[in-house]
Amino acid sequence: MEKKKKKGGFWKPLLVIFVVFGPAAFLIMISMGKCEHNFQELPVYAEMPAYEFVGADGKVINNKTQEGKITLFTTLQTSCPQHCAIDIFKFNLQIYQDYRKSQKRYGHVEIISIVTDKEGNPVENLDEILFTMNDMIEGYDSTIWNLATGDPRQIYDIENNGVNLYSTTAEDTYAGKSYLETMLIVDKQNQLRLVRRGNQEGLIRDFKQHVSLLDKQYAREKRSENATKEEQ
């Protein structure tokens, strides 16, 4: 099983990524305010590039299939799926189980994990990792949390303010590739709204809060549209 060593230089390249691609945490606090005019929206960091993956069910996953959905992207490694790049156990408990049990509310949120080997290369055969997911994830449902084959570069080759997610490297990240530890929130219009590391409990919790914030934004927009229709 692959393991990483923790060193003092761990944060430097990752901090640059999350300052450039991650909105300030105070947005969450402001959004919890009682006044409607205090509501803040997640910034748009980039348009997602064209991508195409094949899910565990054999169906194509691309920009068009994800329109109208909030999509959470991660990677997942066959050699060490539990906690090397993304902490699957914490992600499962804090995010997946909640969405699985609340499909009426979160049916429009889909998790897609791009399966790679320990170097970040695409993996074609998903049988082994599917068996692992069914074994370690209670109520695993691929319609909610789908595994996919394809080159992860398709979704991580994104640049903002001169910082590229895919090319950023750090010695102490998994396989030296920072993107393998990175979770993305992509909105219903295929726009990147948040980047977070996925191997720390606090950051996974923060990631989920930002999904909720984006969801509230859509709910607010819908209320506004309905109010406009009633006035007409």
Side-chain angles (χ1 to χ4, degrees):
M1 181 176 291
E2 298 290 328
K3 292 186 179 179
K4 297 178 296 182
K5 296 181 180 179
K6 304 295 183 182
K7 298 181 182 178
F10 182 87
W11 280 98
K12 188 173 181 180
L14 291 175
L15 183 60
V16 173
I17 286 178
F18 304 123
V19 166
V20 173
F21 285 94
F26 74 85
L27 288 178
I28 289 292
M29 297 176 64
I30 292 176
S31 72
M32 299 303 178
K34 296 180 180 179
C35 297
E36 188 75 8
H37 66 271
N38 282 337
F39 187 91
Q40 296 291 316
E41 297 182 358
L42 293 184
V44 175
Y45 287 101
E47 295 289 332
M48 291 297 289
Y51 61 84
E52 184 168 294
F53 299 99
V54 178
D57 56 3
K59 295 180 180 179
V60 170
I61 300 168
N62 56 29
N63 307 71
K64 187 174 181 180
T65 65
Q66 299 313 111
E67 284 182 4
K69 301 177 183 177
I70 296 175
T71 307
L72 316 183
F73 283 106
T74 78
T75 68
L76 187 62
Q77 287 65 47
T78 53
S79 58
C80 182
Q82 291 92 343
H83 54 72
C84 283
I86 304 297
D87 192 324
I88 291 301
F89 290 129
K90 291 184 174 63
F91 187 94
N92 168 48
L93 292 175
Q94 294 189 36
I95 296 180
Y96 172 70
Q97 292 301 332
D98 190 19
Y99 293 172
R100 179 178 73 87
K101 297 171 184 177
S102 308
Q103 276 297 285
K104 185 175 181 179
R105 177 179 177 185
Y106 292 111
H108 60 288
V109 179
E110 185 172 347
I111 304 163
I112 297 175
S113 291
I114 312 306
V115 181
T116 76
D117 64 15
K118 64 181 180 180
E119 298 297 330
N121 301 309
V123 171
E124 294 299 323
N125 191 332
L126 300 180
D127 291 346
E128 183 178 350
I129 195 68
L130 273 171
F131 177 85
T132 301
M133 292 292 280
N134 277 287
D135 183 57
M136 69 180 182
I137 304 297
E138 178 186 356
Y140 174 69
D141 184 343
S142 62
T143 65
I144 304 170
W145 187 353
N146 204 357
L147 305 183
T149 63
D151 190 346
R153 181 169 187 162
Q154 295 180 91
I155 58 168
Y156 286 102
D157 192 7
I158 298 174
E159 186 169 310
N160 183 262
N161 289 339
V163 176
N164 185 281
L165 281 175
Y166 185 79
S167 62
T168 298
T169 60
E171 180 182 351
D172 301 303
T173 56
Y174 186 76
K177 300 174 181 179
S178 302
Y179 78 88
L180 291 175
E181 298 185 353
T182 302
M183 308 179 297
L184 309 178
I185 297 177
V186 177
D187 68 16
K188 295 180 179 182
Q189 291 77 38
N190 282 299
Q191 301 172 118
L192 177 64
R193 306 302 289 268
L194 187 74
V195 170
R196 279 291 182 272
R197 287 176 63 205
N199 58 1
Q200 290 191 12
E201 183 175 1
L203 292 175
I204 292 174
R205 186 183 306 113
D206 176 75
F207 184 79
K208 181 182 178 181
Q209 289 176 326
H210 281 84
V211 176
S212 296
L213 181 59
L214 181 59
D215 208 34
K216 289 180 180 179
Q217 174 186 327
Y218 285 123
R220 179 172 177 265
E221 290 173 355
K222 187 174 182 179
R223 289 196 300 271
S224 179
E225 290 175 3
N226 290 339
T228 300
K229 290 179 181 178
E230 291 176 0
E231 292 173 359
Q232 292 175 347

